[in-house]
Amino acid sequence: MPSPRFSPVEELKPDDVCAFLFPGTGSAGVPDLAGLAATGPATARAVTDVLDAVQEGLPRSGWPSLRSILLVDPGGYRAAARTPGVAQLSSYAASVAVDRALRAHGVHPRFAVGQSFGEIAALVCAGAFAIADGARMAVAAVGVLARRGRGGGMGLLEAGEDATRACIEAAGAPEVVVACLNAPEVTVVSGPDGPLDTVLDTARGRGVNAVRLAVPYMSHHPAMTGADDEWYALIRDCPQRPLELPVHSPVRGRAYHDGDDLHRAMADCIVRPVRLPEALRAVHAAGATVFTEAGTGNALCQCARLTVPGVRTLAPLRDRPRHGLTGKAASGVVPARDQEDGS
């Protein structure tokens, strides 16, 4: 829960340079936007404006009112989140709302990093897309991933990339690939259900903590080739505007620029792996002194601390602790034991 008083600027030094981190979907439970809105008029206005803009981008039927389930009556969130996509769009709305609330209190980003699904929010908050268009793109992504990636899933290993690849080889499961490197010793794999479970069992047999993630489809996997083109075709008409700040992509391995087709860049995430530590180190080298979680929880802040030892972090919308190890939530998905969160 956020504190009754929302004053993030007091935690910063006058010369601090903030990098906003945008987590993947469902990373830390129910977004407490009601608690955030209750901290003052500026944050309340930011939250309501964002929720209204996100709602504008949702289909007219089959979707609940996000203002109702996230702001007016949060008790209805869990039931509403059983509808596919609601948790993902709620996470997107939370990221944009936290970004706007921070700015309303004088905390402005110099850099942005989006992790997996979080790239949509990162690019919206950097000015490249409108909030409603970001919601439209998120809805389309959920549909494509659920349709094209079913029969597979994702798992997390508390191991580095080399050790994870060794587990895949020992399991004899080449269909499983490294999908996301969240931190130097936190790796997410993706693949068909059977081979994926074999890899996780093999990892446990080698003394590696491994958990199946509550995601009913593959992502960041070469077998998803074609799904990226399908999503691209659905989102390419959303107008792209000039970037207002650098957005460092863990997929492209560099900052985007206005000459990039950002619709294509986002679509690449469906097939290509995410390498978050490289992006975090690049942003730190470019001058960022504080990594700030633009969303619920502090999973990406934890990843930043593991990747850049000693770096300062700020998590203004920390959810109740739900994950035992850094990065379990930062893959953009949550462990199977947390499925009640609707992810």
Side-chain angles (χ1 to χ4, degrees):
M1 296 280 188
S3 63
R5 184 165 175 264
F6 185 75
S7 53
V9 71
E10 293 182 6
E11 301 185 39
L12 302 175
K13 301 174 183 177
D15 59 347
D16 271 332
V17 175
C18 284
F20 281 12
L21 308 180
F22 295 86
T25 60
S27 64
V30 182
D32 186 21
L33 294 189
L36 180 63
T39 60
T43 49
R45 186 165 51 253
V47 170
T48 55
D49 286 350
V50 167
L51 289 177
D52 288 346
V54 172
Q55 195 73 39
E56 181 185 337
L58 300 185
R60 298 302 179 191
S61 62
W63 285 80
S65 163
L66 292 189
R67 185 190 276 231
S68 294
I69 64 171
L70 293 176
L71 198 59
V72 178
D73 181 21
Y77 173 85
R78 293 184 187 279
R82 296 192 186 103
T83 299
V86 169
Q88 289 84 349
L89 268 294
S90 296
S91 178
Y92 165 73
S95 281
V96 182
V98 171
D99 170 271
R100 295 300 193 261
L102 286 167
R103 293 173 191 247
H105 284 264
V107 180
H108 297 272
R110 190 83 58 82
F111 306 95
V113 179
Q115 201 267 3
S116 190
F117 199 89
E119 285 223 7
I120 300 174
L123 288 167
V124 166
C125 293
F129 298 104
I131 295 174
D133 282 339
R136 294 182 182 100
M137 292 189 286
V139 170
V142 170
V144 170
L145 286 168
R147 185 170 58 255
R148 299 290 292 263
R150 61 187 168 190
M154 304 178 80
L156 182 140
L157 287 74
E158 295 178 4
E161 185 174 4
D162 290 344
T164 297
R165 292 189 187 280
C167 290
I168 293 172
E169 184 176 355
E175 308 95 328
V176 177
V177 303
V178 170
C180 309
L181 185 62
N182 289 348
E185 298 298 323
V186 182
T187 307
V188 173
V189 294
S190 179
D193 287 330
L196 176 62
D197 289 336
T198 300
V199 168
L200 298 179
D201 288 341
T202 300
R204 296 183 195 109
R206 291 176 157 225
V208 175
N209 191 16
V211 60
R212 179 74 180 252
L213 300 177
V215 135
Y217 47 74
M218 293 185 291
S219 187
H220 308 293
H221 195 291
M224 295 293 285
T225 299
D228 55 340
D229 293 334
E230 181 179 345
W231 188 39
Y232 177 69
L234 292 171
I235 67 175
R236 64 186 302 176
D237 289 336
C238 293
Q240 177 177 327
R241 304 182 297 199
L243 289 160
E244 297 169 2
L245 68 150
V247 178
H248 283 253
S249 168
V251 174
R252 291 273 173 107
R254 61 169 175 81
Y256 291 131
H257 53 74
D258 288 329
D260 286 322
D261 179 347
L262 297 178
H263 309 82
R264 182 72 256 175
M266 287 189 292
D268 287 347
C269 293
I270 291 179
V271 175
R272 295 176 57 181
V274 171
R275 307 185 68 85
L276 185 61
E278 294 176 6
L280 297 177
R281 293 187 186 109
V283 167
H284 184 252
T289 61
V290 178
F291 288 100
T292 303
E293 193 102 3
T296 303
N298 70 336
L300 294 192
C301 282
Q302 293 182 60
C303 287
R305 290 194 294 271
L306 280 182
T307 302
V308 186
V311 74
R312 291 163 48 230
T313 61
L314 175 63
L317 192 59
R318 292 192 61 175
D319 197 10
R320 61 195 182 279
R322 297 192 59 81
H323 303 288
L325 181 93
T326 298
K328 272 197 171 72
S331 65
V333 287
V334 294
R337 61 178 177 274
D338 289 333
Q339 287 188 37
E340 70 272 17
D341 282 341
S343 300

